[in-house]
Amino acid sequence: MFGIYTRTLAKYPVWTQAFTTGVLFGTGDIIAQFLIESKPSKGKDAAVPVTGSWDVARTGRMAIFGAGFAGPVLHHWYKFLDRKIQLSTPFRSLLGRVAVDQLCFAPCFIASFFVGQGLLAGANKQTIQARLEKGYPGALKSNYMVWPTVQLLNFWCVPLQHRLMVVNTFALGWNTYLSHVNQTSRSIEKPVETVV
């Protein structure tokens, strides 16, 4: 299986990484819906409805975001980091790549996730802003607890062409988390009153 992936990746790098990223984003959402949100919750996430049914449109939005945005963007981002962050030693280059990735790219990517999910769901500007205000700070904080170490190991040990797959594999749990955070950020939405 890995041989097929490697050959396909060599022949169609962007398409292969876009497809695998889309599949894993969608899978993360399915895990969020059936393993996290299907259980009665307590505390701050208690507002998440426990329906027991699959929100296929939500999974589709996650997969579309993964395949149409995250996969291609991350493919080019990792190539950019590898080419442009060349410091005096390999270790300094490694630290520079992780720093640029986490301080410049991660905050923008997480915001893009919330905005992209809102746009794909047909949400208006106010709703997207409300979701960003509720979900973004916690997601960014969680990012900094997890991803610097993952990226340090990824940039140090993994060849460039396989970095996105390593990140995607690890990100299965992260995508589950992001999907859940995006869903719980919906709990603050209020119906818009119309004046007739």
Side-chain angles (χ1 to χ4, degrees), residues 118 123 127-136 182 185-186 189:
T127 301
I128 293 170
Q129 182 65 37
R131 288 184 195 165
L132 272 170
E133 288 172 3
K134 183 170 184 194
Y136 179 81
N182 186 56
S185 69
R186 294 169 149 239
E189 295 174 12

Side-chain angles (χ1 to χ4, degrees), residues 23-36 54-55 58-59 62 176 179:
V23 167
L24 290 170
F25 263 74
T27 303
D29 178 69
I30 291 169
I31 292 169
Q33 288 189 49
F34 286 98
L35 297 181
I36 296 174
W54 180 22
D55 184 346
R58 175 179 148 184
T59 301
M62 286 289 289
T176 301
S179 178

Side-chain angles (χ1 to χ4, degrees), residues 97-110:
R97 289 179 188 129
V98 172
V100 171
D101 183 63
Q102 291 301 302
L103 298 174
C104 299
F105 185 78
C108 297
F109 184 81
I110 292 169

Side-chain angles (χ1 to χ4, degrees), residues 82-191:
D82 210 54
R83 289 184 187 148
K84 299 297 182 183
I85 310 294
Q86 299 289 331
L87 303 177
S88 60
T89 68
F91 186 70
R92 286 184 179 170
S93 295
L94 170 68
L95 293 179
R97 289 179 188 129
V98 172
V100 171
D101 183 63
Q102 291 301 302
L103 298 174
C104 299
F105 185 78
C108 297
F109 184 81
I110 292 169
S112 298
F113 170 80
F114 284 101
V115 171
Q117 289 300 301
L119 292 172
L120 288 170
N124 63 30
K125 182 180 175 183
Q126 293 79 13
T127 301
I128 293 170
Q129 182 65 37
R131 288 184 195 165
L132 272 170
E133 288 172 3
K134 183 170 184 194
Y136 179 81
L140 188 61
K141 181 180 176 186
S142 295
N143 171 83
Y144 288 137
M145 291 189 290
V146 172
W147 285 102
T149 303
V150 172
Q151 292 294 51
L152 190 71
L153 293 171
N154 192 32
F155 294 153
W156 185 257
C157 302
V158 179
L160 175 62
Q161 70 271 22
H162 295 297
R163 287 182 188 156
L164 183 54
M165 187 55 166
V166 168
V167 165
N168 280 340
T169 302
F170 189 83
L172 188 57
W174 179 251
N175 296 338
T176 301
Y177 166 78
L178 280 180
S179 178
H180 179 66
V181 169
N182 186 56
Q183 185 64 23
T184 58
S185 69
R186 294 169 149 239
S187 65
I188 62 166
E189 295 174 12
K190 297 176 183 166

Side-chain angles (χ1 to χ4, degrees), residues 1-82:
M1 184 77 154
F2 187 71
I4 294 169
Y5 173 78
T6 302
R7 285 190 300 279
T8 306
L9 180 64
K11 194 169 183 178
Y12 308 104
V14 177
W15 287 107
T16 303
Q17 292 181 333
F19 176 77
T20 56
T21 303
V23 167
L24 290 170
F25 263 74
T27 303
D29 178 69
I30 291 169
I31 292 169
Q33 288 189 49
F34 286 98
L35 297 181
I36 296 174
E37 296 163 13
S38 65
K39 297 178 183 176
S41 58
K42 298 176 184 171
K44 67 178 183 173
D45 293 338
V48 176
V50 178
T51 62
S53 63
W54 180 22
D55 184 346
V56 178
R58 175 179 148 184
T59 301
R61 289 190 297 271
M62 286 289 289
I64 289 168
F65 180 83
F69 180 79
V73 166
L74 288 166
H75 167 82
H76 292 294
W77 175 246
Y78 290 145
K79 283 176 65 175
F80 170 82
L81 286 176
D82 210 54

